[in-house]
Amino acid sequence: MGNQNKTEKPDGKQEFTITVYTENQIGLLNRIAIIFTRRKINIHSLNTSPSEIESIHRFNIVVHETEEVVRKLSRQIEKQVEVLKVYYNTNEDIIWQEMALYKVPTDIIAEKASVERLLRENGARAVVIRKDYTVFETTGHREETDALIKILQPFGLIEFVRSARVAIIKKSDGFNRKLREFEKAEPGDEVIENEYLNKGQRIFTM
Amino acid sequence: MEIEQQALSNPSGVETIEVSGSVAILEALISEGTEVIFGYPGGAIMPIYDALYDYKEKLNHILVRHEQGGIHAGQGFARTSGKVGVVFATSGPGATNLVTGLADAMIDSTPLVCITGQVFAHLLGTDAFQETDVINITTPVTKWNYQITDATEIPEVISKAFYIARSGRPGPVLIDITKNAQIQKFDYGGYTPCNHIRSYRPKPIIRNEYIEQAAALINQAKRPFILWGQGVILGEAEQEFKLFVEKSGIPSAWTILGAGAIPTNHPLNVGMLGMHGNYGPNVLTNDCDVIIAIGMRFDDRVTGRLDKYAKQAKIIHLDIDPSEIDKNVQTTVPVWGDCKETLPALTALIQKKSYPEWLQKFREFEKKEIEAVIQEELNPKSGELTMGEVIHQLNELTQGEAIIVTDVGQHQMVACRYAKFNNTRSNVTSGGLGTMGFALPAAIGAKFGAPERTVVAVIGDGGFQMTLQELGTIMQSSIDVKILILNNRFLGMVRQWQELFNQHRYSFVDIESPDYVALAAAYKIKGKSISERGDIASSLKEMLEYKGSYLLEVMVTKENNVFPMVPQGCSVSEIRLK
């Protein structure tokens, strides 16, 4: 997993979240993934799930790259037959969350930790409490879920798992209206959105 | 063919008949206008071949000798006909043998529908006999692929396959069909061609503001330069392109796959771009003020060193594929869209002009190139034979009317540099992938794509030995292709690089050949080998006039180099004449 830069570094790279709307099609995940692997670009986080519209899936892909590279990746993804639309955004443009689960021994945590304070301060909740172990859950940014690992580590953290990032684009109106445009044989300007043309002066070679 | 079962009516009232998946596939192919299939049978595609037995009158199946030959033939057919090439192969090795051709078709935007057999659906993932994960293997080298496991999917999937293969930027599509789906009977309700997929926009919407900006740039330009590629041919926009070129009066150069979109002898055609392209077009790329790139993708063999490529110029890029805009070269004005539509729109807005002084510059460079390279290459007075003089003599006889299919290497560069093309869809070569072994099978397909035209396959001694098994196809199906082997007893292009850049360390480029005339004879193909200058014209004439296939081997000088040349890592303006 990569580091967590919120802002652009001197190499021009920063975190981008790519949002992809697709048909629900076997093999499409591979088709999208190889666009990254072919260019030896690491996917930091990948989430795919059904969207608010039946039969349309939504991918959230997080990469750490320059905008130039992300723009080219996005165009290559959008070129795939079963991809409807691709957006890419910086962290400033989106609201995002990751969910994490933590399994700790119940006896230690009950005895040594101030569980109530711990949960409150970290926005966590207990999902399961058993004699032998307890599972906490929290959602937040990477720093927040990381912080709880550090806190629970001294209490014998048994297991930890974190989900991929899910993100909502602040400016987005959703996809319902756009989809209707796509379904027309002659879609309107709505679906084009080539506003990112004419930008950038850097030449990129792969 | 006799319809197998009784007609049924389904609840929607549409007349249906019960057919097998295999019959549905063949019916779909007929509905799409398929005339010829290049294929090779095998276990997992046997039901389709069994159905084909009853379709011999309607579908012409050509039995190739290797699936790679089949797919290259499909490519040759698509290139000369403008239609979708259709290829059959079985599962496992049959399917994996298609991969080179798929990659070639993908990078050169050739429309293909390849149908592969697959093991029974219940055996998928069990390492069954001849099972391979062909969908995942071919994903990076197909525009679209799909696995059918149920016969009812067949009509819709095949119609999508053809639509995707031929529309927008064309490309190869692979449909993998499990054996159970080929056998399965279902209610077939007829075939409806596909013309819309909601997630797929083959043609971007044309933005008039960009057309206007492009026209304004062109109208102000002092030294504009047109670079055109295969997009003009794929878009069937040759006429629109010609009108644009002639009204604009702008010197125009072509990428290797663009050759022939306007005739070689057109007064504004200034020659070929790229590593072994013409002198003027390369040097003056770095002198022009506006580049109008049409249906080309700024491949590295065209641009040379990118950070020294046309930095002084404003770039107008016309392309149907939005991902090509800004991919390699930063565009000033992007003109998205089908050039059949964008070119007339642009032509309407530009002023009629001519650039006599600017055009004269190209002519001056041409003169230098003729003196330094071309004269000696095309008209040597002594010494061993050159590849160029063979092509030159061929031009004299065909007068630019033949289809020239080339393989990959020195002979390809020489043939594409010097062959004359009066017509579009006359130059068939492996451009992007550089697939040795392409020419012989592609020539077979090219002949089916344009049966009334002469097809000459120009091939090196290396590439010929990669797919020479297709002589068997030529023999069995009596295909009239003229095979011209330019034999320099070397893998010439690699040898040239070893000479120039590896201090003459000729590492494994010395290649022996069999007796090609005897080989041709074994396949009942007439053959001849020559090494004397005086025999070239008469032998080529004999080959061209011969009824049926003919193999002519010309022994050419061993260590000739193709020039001009933009060495790798150099700018186009650093092109070398020697």
Side-chain angles (χ1 to χ4, degrees), chain A residues 23 25 27 30-31 34 38 54-56 68 71-72 75-76 78-85 179 181-189 191-206, chain B residues 106 135-146 160 164 169 195-201 203-207 209-210 213 306-307 311 321-334 336:
Chain A
E23 299 289 349
Q25 186 76 56
N30 187 31
R31 212 168 245 288
I34 60 177
R38 176 178 173 188
E54 199 188 333
S55 82
I56 302 290
E68 177 107 33
R71 182 165 61 232
K72 285 173 185 176
R75 287 189 195 170
Q76 293 295 334
E78 194 162 291
K79 185 164 144 179
Q80 303 308 315
V81 169
E82 278 137 348
V83 170
L84 287 120
K85 191 69 201 162
L179 183 67
E181 280 291 326
F182 279 103
E183 283 170 344
K184 291 181 191 164
E186 291 290 332
D189 274 6
V191 301
I192 300 302
E193 297 182 68
N194 54 353
E195 72 284 350
Y196 49 80
L197 288 169
N198 288 338
K199 281 188 192 166
Q201 291 304 315
R202 287 189 297 270
I203 304 295
F204 177 75
T205 54
M206 295 210 182
Chain B
M106 187 70 178
I135 293 295
N136 277 311
I137 287 175
T138 60
T139 294
V141 289
T142 50
K143 186 174 174 186
W144 187 64
N145 60 8
Y146 189 85
K160 274 179 80 172
I164 292 167
R169 180 176 180 173
N195 58 20
H196 178 64
I197 298 170
R198 69 177 180 182
S199 59
Y200 171 59
R201 276 179 287 122
K203 287 185 198 176
I205 292 168
I206 295 165
R207 289 274 180 118
E209 66 264 37
Y210 290 133
Q213 286 172 27
L306 209 51
D307 61 2
K311 288 310 204 190
D321 178 356
S323 72
E324 285 301 337
I325 307 284
D326 293 348
K327 188 185 80 177
N328 295 333
V329 170
Q330 197 68 39
T331 307
T332 316
V333 180
W336 288 11

Side-chain angles (χ1 to χ4, degrees), chain A residues 171-188:
Chain A
K171 282 186 185 164
S172 172
D173 303 329
F175 206 68
N176 269 306
R177 193 163 50 86
K178 282 213 172 67
L179 183 67
R180 286 199 294 278
E181 280 291 326
F182 279 103
E183 283 170 344
K184 291 181 191 164
E186 291 290 332

Side-chain angles (χ1 to χ4, degrees), chain B residues 225 251 270 280-281 284 358-366:
Chain B
F225 187 21
V270 294
L284 295 173
W358 173 230
L359 193 60
Q360 184 54 31
K361 273 196 160 184
F362 284 90
R363 298 301 171 216
E364 282 160 19
F365 278 104
E366 186 184 16

